[in-house]
């Protein structure tokens, strides 16, 4: 799992991991419920996530909790996120102040992103009508339907930030996002991943997102970590949604000169404050063109992590996060 670490803050709050039961920490010594983003982690020592969940509810006033992160939820073997989603959904009414939810704050040492067995997250979104930020990491292996990430189109009035981090994002999830009604959404990031791990989304799946009509308040769009980054860049070059953006990311994928030139020859990008293209396969002359344009117009551009690629050798290009 490349360049993924546990966040130190989430939804504007410092992250605090609930201590293991073996530490025998009293509820009185814990932070105030609303002062931190609570991270729950089986830590390989707890019997199972339901026990951690019950101990959390007994130790912290859930009515004050503003942000919640779910770490490894398995005690021994990896398992589907579905039982965890059901537990949280069932107790949603006890969390009236919850605004930030991070599903699967898990790093490579704990489980590779492509092995994280997610589930249908629709019910969780519906269960928290005041939720403002949702991060979902993982997707499930392509041949493992039970643990595969799923989403149905949703209507949500409060959600401002939505991010799917995946080594293989299923096409139906991308289509569901595009078909959702999210009038408050300001930030959207989709990590597509590799086809080997179930990342089968296409540019056609993105058409509703690129049209610009679905998310009127969208200001940041990240379409990244993709094997079809050139095709995405070409589609973005003429996409109506770009005019309303302040920042754009096509990073972490297989972007080559083909995609970058399509972007440069497309609609103006001069209104952007930042353009993130890091982890790419651009040649020096094309990087120079991108830098020149951005410098002239005051757009901050990230071209770090350039990787050499010779199309004459027919060598494969890789996304930043797959396994």
């Amino acid at each position: 799992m490349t360049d993924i670490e546990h966040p130190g803050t989430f939804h504007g709050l410092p992250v605090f991991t609930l201590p293991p039961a073996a530490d025998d920490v009293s509820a009185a010594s814990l932070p105030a419920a609303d002062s931190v983003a609570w991270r729950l982690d089986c830590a390989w020592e707890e019997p199972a996530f339901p026990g951690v969940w019950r101990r959390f509810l007994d130790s912290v006033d859930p009515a004050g909790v503003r942000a919640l992160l779910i770490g490894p939820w398995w005690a021994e073997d990896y398992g589907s996120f579905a039982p965890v989603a059901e537990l949280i959904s069932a107790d949603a009414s006890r969390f009236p102040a919850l605004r930030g939810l991070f599903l699967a704050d898990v790093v490579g040492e704990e489980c590779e992103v492509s092995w994280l067995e997610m589930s249908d997250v629709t019910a969780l979104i519906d269960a928290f009508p005041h939720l403002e930020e949702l991060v979902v990491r993982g997707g499930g292996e392509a041949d493992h339907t039970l643990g595969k990430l799923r989403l149905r189109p949703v209507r949500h009035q409060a959600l401002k930030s939505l991010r799917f981090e995946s080594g293989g994002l299923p096409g139906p999830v991308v289509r569901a996002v595009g078909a959702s009604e999210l009038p408050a959404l300001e930030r959207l990031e989709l990590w597509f991943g590799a086809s080997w791990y179930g990342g089968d989304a296409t540019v056609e799946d993105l058409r509703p997102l690129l049209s610009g009509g679905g998310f009127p308040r969208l200001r940041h769009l990240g379409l990244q970590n993709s094997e079809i980054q050139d095709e995405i860049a070409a589609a973005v070059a003429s996409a109506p949604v770009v005019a309303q953006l302040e920042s754009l990311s096509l990073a972490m994928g297989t972007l080559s000169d083909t995609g970058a030139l399509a972007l440069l020859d497309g609609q103006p990008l001069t209104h952007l404050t930042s353009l993130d293209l890091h982890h790419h396969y651009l040649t020096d002359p094309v990087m120079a063109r991108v830098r020149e344009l951005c410098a002239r117009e005051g757009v901050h551009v990230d071209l770090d992590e350039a990787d050499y690629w010779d199309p004459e050798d027919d060598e494969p290009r890789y996304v930043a996060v797959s396994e």
Side-chain angles (χ1 to χ4, degrees), residues 211-224:
S211 70
F215 308 135
R217 296 189 181 180
L218 193 68
R219 295 299 178 265
H220 171 78
L221 179 60
L223 303 175
Q224 52 205 76

Side-chain angles (χ1 to χ4, degrees), residues 163-240:
R163 184 166 82 245
F164 285 97
E165 299 181 358
S166 180
L169 191 63
V173 172
V174 176
R175 293 193 291 273
V177 171
S180 294
E181 295 182 27
L182 305 172
L185 194 68
E186 299 173 358
R187 297 183 61 86
L188 174 64
E189 282 190 26
L190 303 175
W191 297 16
F192 295 93
S195 56
W196 180 261
Y197 294 107
D200 57 2
T202 66
V203 169
E204 194 60 33
D205 294 331
L206 290 171
R207 296 298 178 193
L209 299 176
L210 298 177
S211 70
F215 308 135
R217 296 189 181 180
L218 193 68
R219 295 299 178 265
H220 171 78
L221 179 60
L223 303 175
Q224 52 205 76
N225 197 51
S226 175
E227 291 180 324
I228 57 169
Q229 206 72 64
D230 283 343
E231 296 176 47
I232 291 174
V236 166
S238 60

Side-chain angles (χ1 to χ4, degrees), residues 1 5 170 182 256 280:
M1 192 182 293
E5 300 178 351
L182 305 172
S256 73
H280 59 83

